[in-house]
Amino acid sequence: MTTTPVALARDLPVQRVMRAQVDGCDLAIWRGISGQVQAWENRCPHRGMRLSYGFVRQDSLACAYHGWHYNCEAVCHYIPAHPELQPPASIKPVTYSVVEHQGVLWVNTRNEAEVPEFPEDSIGIRSITFDCPLSVAFEACLAAQLSDEAGLSLSPRQLGDAPLILSFGNQQQADSVLLLFQPSDLANVVIHVLAHHSYSVDGRIGISQWCESVRRQAELNHEVAMNAGMECTHE
Amino acid sequence: MTIRFYNYVLSGNCYKFRLLASLLAVEYESVAVDFHPGVEHRSEKYLRLNPAGTLPILQADGRVFTETQAMLVWLASKHDKSGAWWPEKNSDAIVQVMQWLGFAARLSATVGELRLHSMLNKDIDAAAAKAGAIKALRELEAHLVQQQIRGEQWLGANSPTVADIACFPYTALSPDAGIEHDAFPAIRQWLYAVRSLDGFVTMPGIHELHEQRDEQSPAAETKTS
Ligand code: FES
């Protein structure tokens, strides 16, 4: 099982919780006031409420349902209905390995998270969700034209195999734009988009718009393929 | 002069007015209308006031207003001394604000309708409403990403305006219509910023920020028990 990017770090400020999916695994990812990030199974050990509906108070994640508080060690330390009770140590959410590296949060649901090597000096543009399978999104990105700020065309190359990283570059600027693929489930992909820090504001906005063009193309390709598939089964 | 506001608590459009009135600390008289199940807004009494048969309705300055976005502009232009919520002196800002006031109507027509379908079984083309809702939310997300890149966090200006209030409710309520915010990180940041405003009020489906509520900390409660 590989390490997967789940968010741009700046999209999870302190005292916030968010939801992410990795290969069909549902996660609550949260950051306490001290800045540390946790990635847990999105299921409260009490009655199974999604922890991503909860809220972060100081360095604890509180469940939205009955307010049980879990600290950074994933220990339940406070039950509002029984404030005097010391909760048993066996009440623990399932935890996963998560690291924050170069502005990206990476999770591994099986082993220690190991961040793949990828170029430094890039900054997050956005995380964008495509409603199509990974292979369709990946192909659309490979086929899409992208140029740098001077209008020189950039060509993609794949860094590593999994997790999938596409790097767009040319002789002027290697690794201008990076796409980090997060297969969230069979039907959706999140792509975390980064650009070299030398891009101007307009250049960064251009990359954001480019992502939307690629998404339109990918989702259209997917729709066409689905319709073709339906016709085959009808025959 | 009294401000009379005809209100239904579960309506996102009514909430726009309640929210901005609270942010601007404007007092008004609220009249509860039995929208569901009573359909009171379609009764002759209300149709006489508003032939369109919609809520909310505002009576103020001897006039009747039936368009929510106009009510927001009325509130801000009459009651906001800072001039920031309706920045009429700044032509760049005001056209942006108009842009997103117009967009708010699309959110009501898509997310709002889909929500009524989910909650009250309103008979609509749900698939079309859902496609329209996702399209609108994606546009909002794209705009907020661009604002982030420019170092801005609000829709139309460098401080919150009536446009943010007009777009806030149905964006925040989209989970009621079956569309979560997980795929929209910039929208999440913006919703949080609105909820952090001084004077923010809630409605069913839109909660206050627990993390900012001044509640006894767990440690303190343990000590007092
Ligand atoms: S389900 Fe989480 S506290 Fe009860």
Side-chain angles (χ1 to χ4, degrees):
Chain A
M1 206 44 219
T2 54
T3 300
T4 307
V6 292
L8 297 177
R10 65 117 204 263
D11 286 335
L12 185 69
V14 292
Q15 298 203 82
R16 286 314 159 86
V17 56
M18 60 172 275
R19 184 186 189 193
Q21 265 140 334
V22 173
D23 289 323
C25 208
D26 196 7
L27 309 175
I29 302 177
W30 64 279
R31 193 193 289 275
I33 199 161
S34 59
Q36 234 206 314
V37 178
Q38 314 290 332
W40 295 353
E41 184 187 10
N42 197 8
R43 199 175 177 287
C44 179
H46 180 220
R47 291 277 176 82
M49 178 74 169
R50 274 185 205 155
L51 286 169
S52 59
Y53 286 141
F55 55 94
V56 180
R57 186 169 279 153
Q58 303 294 324
D59 267 326
S60 294
L61 178 62
C63 176
Y65 204 177
H66 311 95
W68 291 24
H69 282 53
Y70 304 93
N71 67 16
C72 294
E73 276 75 53
V75 170
C76 178
H77 65 93
Y78 175 62
I79 296 177
H82 304 280
E84 67 293 336
L85 189 85
Q86 178 68 50
S90 57
I91 306 175
K92 282 175 83 69
V94 177
T95 65
Y96 300 116
S97 174
V98 54
V99 289
E100 178 168 356
H101 184 69
Q102 289 186 43
V104 179
L105 304 180
W106 303 81
V107 168
N108 193 318
T109 54
R110 304 273 170 83
N111 306 304
E112 282 297 299
E114 273 177 39
V115 179
E117 269 193 50
F118 76 97
E120 295 178 19
D121 298 332
S122 45
I123 50 157
I125 299 292
R126 66 185 295 187
S127 298
I128 181 169
T129 302
F130 285 28
D131 288 338
C132 66
L134 174 67
S135 58
V136 180
F138 191 75
E139 267 166 43
C141 292
L142 267 181
Q145 305 284 324
L146 178 61
S147 45
D148 66 11
E149 283 202 90
L152 298 169
S153 83
L154 295 167
S155 43
R157 76 191 159 104
Q158 199 174 333
L159 303 183
D161 43 3
L164 295 161
I165 303 179
L166 268 186
S167 166
F168 288 80
N170 61 18
Q171 277 168 352
Q172 271 64 39
Q173 174 67 64
D175 307 315
S176 281
V177 176
L178 295 168
L179 306 182
L180 317 181
F181 291 78
Q182 174 196 350
S184 55
D185 57 35
L186 291 178
N188 291 285
V189 190
V190 184
I191 304 180
H192 308 283
V193 185
L194 297 92
H196 191 264
H197 66 73
S198 61
Y199 269 85
S200 66
V201 166
D202 285 347
R204 291 173 203 188
I205 289 175
I207 293 167
S208 172
Q209 289 168 328
W210 175 82
C211 298
E212 283 151 44
S213 303
V214 180
R215 176 167 66 186
R216 274 189 286 274
Q217 190 60 54
E219 292 180 353
L220 185 68
N221 293 350
H222 180 54
E223 208 183 300
V224 169
M226 294 291 284
N227 289 342
M230 295 229 300
E231 273 161 32
C232 289
T233 48
H234 282 310
E235 271 162 28
Chain B
M1 180 101 83
T2 53
I3 305 170
R4 184 172 296 143
F5 182 68
Y6 295 88
N7 180 42
Y8 177 59
V9 71
L10 292 178
S11 152
N13 278 328
C14 293
Y15 171 63
K16 292 175 191 177
F17 181 90
R18 300 200 302 270
L19 176 56
L20 187 59
S22 171
L23 292 168
L24 296 175
V26 176
E27 292 192 3
Y28 59 93
E29 178 195 328
S30 180
V31 181
V33 182
D34 182 10
F35 176 88
H36 184 83
V39 207
E40 196 185 0
H41 59 300
R42 296 277 161 88
S43 67
E44 192 48 43
K45 172 180 161 202
Y46 280 99
L47 287 176
R48 202 167 298 170
L49 209 53
N50 175 17
T54 56
L55 285 179
I57 306 166
L58 174 67
Q59 278 180 313
D61 292 346
R63 290 175 200 275
V64 177
F65 298 89
T66 59
E67 290 294 335
T68 316
Q69 271 63 267
M71 296 178 202
L72 299 180
V73 173
W74 179 84
L75 263 179
S77 56
K78 296 275 170 156
H79 295 278
D80 168 32
K81 286 176 194 72
S82 76
W85 287 91
W86 174 245
E88 55 193 328
K89 302 220 168 60
N90 177 344
S91 59
D92 283 344
I94 208 78
V95 288
Q96 282 294 314
V97 169
M98 289 305 296
Q99 161 77 20
W100 293 100
L101 282 180
F103 180 83
R106 274 183 54 208
L107 287 172
S108 306
T110 54
V111 183
E113 288 295 289
L114 192 59
R115 176 171 168 269
L116 285 175
H117 173 74
S118 310
M119 294 174 71
L120 304 178
N121 261 321
K122 183 167 180 184
D123 186 20
I124 57 160
D125 181 347
K130 180 152 195 184
I134 288 173
K135 196 158 166 280
L137 291 171
R138 283 178 166 188
E139 285 171 46
L140 182 61
E141 170 78 11
H143 176 67
L144 286 165
V145 164
Q146 295 188 12
Q147 290 294 83
Q148 273 179 350
I149 292 171
R150 297 185 185 105
E152 304 284 355
Q153 64 169 333
W154 305 104
L155 287 180
N158 55 15
S159 64
T161 66
V162 292
D164 295 282
I165 303 308
C167 291
F168 175 76
Y170 287 114
T171 307
L173 290 168
S174 75
D176 282 356
I179 305 172
E180 300 283 340
H181 299 135
D182 305 322
F184 306 110
I187 286 180
R188 290 204 302 269
Q189 301 277 36
W190 170 75
L191 292 176
Y192 196 94
V194 175
R195 293 165 76 205
S196 304
L197 291 170
D198 248 357
F200 179 80
V201 286
T202 61
M203 71 166 274
I206 302 180
H207 313 292
E208 66 188 323
L209 293 173
H210 293 274
E211 43 276 60
Q212 292 184 352
R213 196 167 56 189
D214 213 9
E215 204 186 65
Q216 279 185 305
S217 75
E221 281 184 37
T222 320
K223 255 179 247 140
T224 52
S225 63

